[in-house]
Amino acid sequence: MNSLARILTALPLTASAAVPVALAGPETADRLDPVVVSGTRFPHSVATTPASIHVIDREQIEASGATNIAQLLRGRGGVQVNDIIGDGSRTVVSLRGFGANASANTLVLVDGRRLNNSDLQAPDFNTVALKDVERIEIVQGSAGTLFGDQAVGGVVNIITRPVSGFRAAVDLGGGSFDQWSRSVSLANVHDNGLFYRISAGQLDSDNYRDNNRQDRENLLAKTGWRYEAGELFVEVQRVDESLELAGTLFVDQLAADRRQAANPGDQTGTDTDVWRIGIDHEFSRQWRLLAEVTDRDADTRATISFGGLPTAFTSSRDHRAFNPRLLGTLPLAAGDLILTLGADVEDTEFRTLNIFGNTRNEQEMWSLYAQAVVPVTPRWRLTLGGRYAEVENDLIDGGPFGAFPGGIEFNDEQLVGEVGLSFQASDDWRLFVRADENYRFALANEQTFTPPGLVGLDTQTGWSFEAGAEWRRGPNHAKALLYLLDLDDEIDFNPLAGFFGANQNLEETRRIGVVLEGRYALSERFALNGQYSYTDAEFRSGVVKGREVPFVAEHSGRLALELLPMAGITGLLEFQAISDRVASGDYTGSVADQAGYGVCNATLAYTRGAWRFSVRGDNLFDKEYRELAISASDPVTFLPATAYFPAPQRRVRFNLRYQLD
């Protein structure tokens, strides 16, 4: 019996993610700080949170006119987004300066539930419909102590909408590239404490490129019971998606037709099933328990060309988790001591089958963690924390090219800690410093494709330091953040290792950066909102010492003008820009860089009673740019060259909603 099964057998069936708490509305914006769960894994005011967290609330989501999470995240909170298709379905999010390996170094959560995988498949943001999101919390920096594996650059925690009363809505959307969407949702809570939320949606689109059609269906149902001391809930979700794959293009192909497909027959489809059972229970004023049991199964089938020949791939991912945590709020003379004690137990089975062989990995990972936020004085708070983690991998890689046909075990353990200090200088100002250790265990199919003679990748380890200042007064706020991130044995794919390239531990890397954010209301009708990120990511040892880490932009930013010209009408005009990047996988400077670009987007919405109509335009000036650049081999000359994913040109999207509250 595996460790997860042993624990579930020994304990009563309890579970839950942190129950979302709505942000303060406009009428209380001058008196209350936003509430977040990502700083302590429980709802707390930003002022008592020992981390820098960027919050995108429901009001901002509506004002953006975004149709997917990738659109919403781009340029915010130090985030760099690579959306290779332009519809959010194949999105990689980077925090703190990561390139091709960003998806393994940024932890993505939905109500505390992991979207990251034990293999190279990136988290699928499109399993979460944006209409179901209450807010998104971006933890800007390493969070290895509180969240563990893969929380190296930071955490993106997606908080779904709570059930606070009756709400029913119908949405119809459409736009460029023959995109159509429709959705319905219904939620209510009864006097006896019973509540429910049902949401269903469907989207289909031809997308910008040839052979790039997408069809997706999403069904979410949640029910539960609220009682005097807490809440119980059960949630189920089903997501079915099919997507045609257009592939990368070389410079001559882009010049001929940037919308063409490299391999017209390539496609993939994934069916995902999720269920969760959870509890949020207050034992007393001082102690509160949150816990959840989660099961996520995803089955993928694909046809991908290799050497010009279509090749069939299948894979399955079965991820089970148990995540209990206990919150203590203990009164001291200087204020409340916030104590978080928890465990993360995960059991994952990954299988894949293709012409190169078959891989199966059974992974068990468990960890214990503790964090204390101690009020030293009424204005000074000290944060101390630690985590102990173990991982066991039972890996078989068979077939004609299998690395471990007889099976092999890869096991490791890690101990990390954090320390931080924050100072509430006044009602408006907060200063803080924080140091946090982090780690990332090697993924299953990273271990099966290493340089000849190398058996087993080392665990990636590192530490981060950050110092910052935050100012908040009413609707206005500003933040300045300076950080340092040092990594040993960083894991990434190197196309120069072995005959076809291989995964390996890189030389030591260092990332130094600055994040600036701010919002200022010019009047009751207009406000400016902006973010800027500077990242210097370099190798600090070995033959590549001093070279840039591939596919990390030195500069990125966003500037937005928020408009409220008259009652019922809102608008947003934004400019997003990112600087040049070394092509992904280019460690020697042998291929062309990815050019920087800037795009302009706009949204206009009109609300009257139960009706809301919005329209959003992206890339308004119809700019031709590329979202991703990869170091590759030209199929004609066999010389090193850059392969690109061309980004969509101008596109427009509208949405019509009827909602009853």
Side-chain angles (χ1 to χ4, degrees):
M1 183 181 295
N2 61 40
S3 60
L4 178 61
R6 287 197 296 268
I7 290 178
L8 293 182
T9 302
L11 295 177
L13 189 59
T14 62
S16 172
V19 177
V21 176
L23 293 178
E27 70 279 2
T28 59
D30 291 335
R31 294 180 285 110
L32 295 179
D33 287 310
V35 172
V36 297
V37 302
S38 302
T40 60
R41 297 184 72 163
F42 284 89
H44 272 291
S45 165
V46 166
T48 61
T49 298
S52 177
I53 300 178
H54 179 93
V55 179
I56 308 172
D57 61 25
R58 186 64 208 175
E59 183 179 352
Q60 292 173 307
I61 294 172
E62 292 282 5
S64 73
T67 58
N68 57 66
I69 293 175
Q71 282 182 324
L72 189 66
L73 290 178
R74 192 181 298 273
R76 297 179 186 252
V79 174
Q80 293 184 16
V81 174
N82 296 322
D83 181 6
I84 62 175
I85 293 174
D87 66 346
S89 62
R90 291 299 180 269
T91 296
V92 174
V93 167
S94 174
L95 282 161
R96 292 293 192 264
F98 288 91
N101 58 355
S103 63
N105 288 283
T106 303
L107 183 62
V108 181
L109 307 170
V110 179
D111 293 332
R113 170 176 65 85
R114 281 177 173 256
L115 280 188
N116 292 60
N117 297 297
S118 65
D119 64 291
L120 284 166
Q121 180 66 42
D124 187 354
F125 284 89
N126 269 3
T127 59
V128 186
L130 196 54
K131 63 182 175 58
D132 294 328
V133 176
E134 177 67 16
R135 69 185 184 276
I136 298 177
E137 301 171 2
I138 304 170
V139 180
Q140 299 168 304
S142 172
T145 298
L146 200 59
F147 291 100
D149 183 41
Q150 299 187 331
V152 179
V155 179
V156 177
N157 195 2
I158 302 165
I159 310 296
T160 58
R161 303 187 73 174
V163 182
S164 55
F166 176 77
R167 182 174 64 240
V170 178
D171 284 80
L172 175 65
S176 303
F177 318 130
D178 200 24
Q179 182 185 95
W180 293 97
S181 66
R182 43 257 150 203
S183 67
V184 295
S185 60
L186 179 66
N188 200 6
V189 56
H190 298 283
D191 293 339
N192 60 5
L194 292 176
F195 67 90
Y196 63 87
R197 178 164 63 94
I198 302 172
S199 175
Q202 185 181 37
L203 179 143
D204 52 78
S205 175
D206 289 340
N207 285 323
Y208 174 69
R209 304 271 304 279
D210 297 336
N211 192 62
N212 208 191
R213 181 172 176 80
Q214 177 192 28
D215 294 280
R216 186 176 71 249
E217 297 177 352
N218 190 320
L219 174 64
L220 175 69
K222 181 177 181 178
T223 187
W225 174 52
R226 291 176 184 163
Y227 55 98
E228 184 177 357
E231 173 182 301
L232 294 165
F233 76 84
V234 178
E235 180 180 282
V236 294
Q237 183 183 21
R238 170 78 181 192
V239 182
D240 295 333
E241 181 188 63
S242 62
L243 178 68
E244 296 174 342
L245 305 175
T248 59
L249 300 176
F250 292 93
V251 172
D252 57 338
Q253 294 172 310
L254 284 171
D257 180 6
R258 69 191 317 268
R259 300 181 68 168
Q260 66 176 297
N263 300 294
D266 288 4
Q267 55 83 30
T268 183
T270 300
D271 300 330
T272 303
D273 292 289
V274 180
W275 62 261
R276 296 194 303 144
I277 302 175
I279 186 171
D280 176 359
H281 181 78
E282 288 190 0
F283 294 103
S284 66
R285 286 187 176 183
Q286 284 76 40
W287 294 101
R288 178 178 177 184
L289 171 71
L290 277 79
E292 67 176 354
V293 175
T294 301
D295 185 282
R296 171 169 57 92
D297 296 337
D299 296 317
T300 300
R301 64 230 164 256
T303 300
I304 301 176
S305 297
F306 182 80
L309 298 176
T311 304
F313 290 75
T314 61
S315 65
S316 65
R317 298 168 182 85
D318 301 331
H319 179 265
R320 295 164 291 277
F322 176 53
N323 308 104
R325 48 211 182 271
L326 189 66
L327 174 72
T329 306
L330 311 178
L332 299 178
D336 288 342
L337 183 151
I338 302 170
L339 180 63
T340 305
L341 305 172
D344 292 322
V345 183
E346 300 181 48
D347 184 4
T348 304
E349 184 173 352
F350 165 67
R351 297 171 181 260
T352 184
L353 176 64
N354 53 64
I355 62 169
F356 303 105
N358 58 84
T359 300
R360 175 183 175 182
N361 185 52
E362 295 183 0
Q363 181 188 84
E364 293 185 11
M365 184 162 54
W366 69 271
S367 56
L368 300 172
Y369 62 91
Q371 183 194 68
V373 183
V374 185
V376 181
T377 73
R379 291 190 179 274
W380 288 91
R381 293 179 181 271
L382 174 68
T383 301
L384 298 170
R387 174 183 286 258
Y388 174 76
E390 287 189 4
V391 65
E392 298 179 0
N393 291 280
D394 186 1
L395 178 63
I396 298 175
D397 188 42
F401 302 99
F404 311 113
I408 193 171
E409 290 187 2
F410 292 112
N411 306 324
D412 196 14
E413 59 183 12
Q414 291 292 319
L415 179 64
V416 295
E418 72 167 333
V419 59
L421 190 64
S422 65
F423 174 55
Q424 193 72 38
S426 67
D427 292 342
D428 300 333
W429 282 96
R430 182 171 80 106
L431 310 175
F432 59 90
V433 293
R434 188 173 74 99
D436 185 273
E437 294 179 301
N438 57 72
Y439 63 94
R440 165 167 108 76
F441 297 124
L443 303 174
N445 39 8
E446 287 178 325
Q447 295 281 29
T448 61
F449 198 46
T450 58
L454 177 63
V455 178
L457 295 169
D458 293 331
T459 296
Q460 172 186 304
T461 59
W463 72 279
S464 73
F465 170 83
E466 61 186 66
E470 295 180 347
W471 172 82
R472 181 178 296 274
R473 179 179 295 171
N476 302 320
H477 55 83
K479 178 192 300 184
L481 184 66
L482 172 69
Y483 68 86
L484 168 69
L485 174 61
D486 278 355
L487 297 180
D488 295 324
D489 297 316
E490 181 174 346
I491 304 170
D492 200 1
F493 180 78
N494 183 356
L496 300 179
F499 187 74
F500 293 109
N503 302 297
Q504 66 177 60
N505 293 112
L506 305 178
E507 302 289 351
E508 296 172 316
T509 56
R510 168 169 290 174
R511 292 155 171 89
I512 299 174
V514 175
V515 177
L516 303 176
E517 301 178 16
R519 181 185 187 275
Y520 182 72
L522 302 171
S523 69
E524 293 183 356
R525 301 297 186 188
F526 302 96
L528 282 175
N529 192 326
Q531 297 86 29
Y532 166 75
S533 177
Y534 167 80
T535 305
D536 180 19
E538 293 185 353
F539 292 97
R540 58 189 179 100
S541 66
V543 296
V544 290
K545 182 178 180 180
R547 287 199 58 82
E548 296 179 48
V549 174
F551 214 64
V552 178
E554 190 172 47
H555 306 279
S556 64
R558 171 182 177 269
L559 181 63
L561 177 63
E562 303 171 6
L563 309 173
L564 188 64
M566 60 185 67
I569 297 179
T570 60
L572 181 73
L573 179 65
E574 67 176 2
F575 178 74
Q576 300 171 351
I578 191 167
S579 62
D580 296 355
R581 287 171 281 180
V582 174
S584 178
D586 183 16
Y587 293 94
T588 61
S590 56
V591 301
D593 291 349
Q594 162 70 63
Y597 60 85
V599 295
C600 186
N601 312 315
T603 298
L604 187 65
Y606 174 66
T607 303
R608 183 181 179 88
W611 294 93
R612 175 182 172 86
F613 176 80
S614 64
V615 59
R616 174 179 170 116
D618 288 283
N619 192 6
L620 294 180
F621 297 110
D622 207 28
K623 184 176 181 61
E624 294 186 0
Y625 66 98
R626 280 95 66 171
E627 186 70 29
L628 179 61
I630 302 172
S631 175
S633 176
D634 189 290
V636 178
T637 65
F638 299 103
L639 295 175
T642 306
Y644 299 96
F645 278 94
Q649 293 174 251
R650 185 189 299 117
R651 55 198 186 277
V652 178
R653 160 86 181 184
F654 76 86
N655 188 80
L656 179 64
R657 175 187 303 161
Y658 181 76
Q659 178 170 309
L660 296 176
D661 294 308

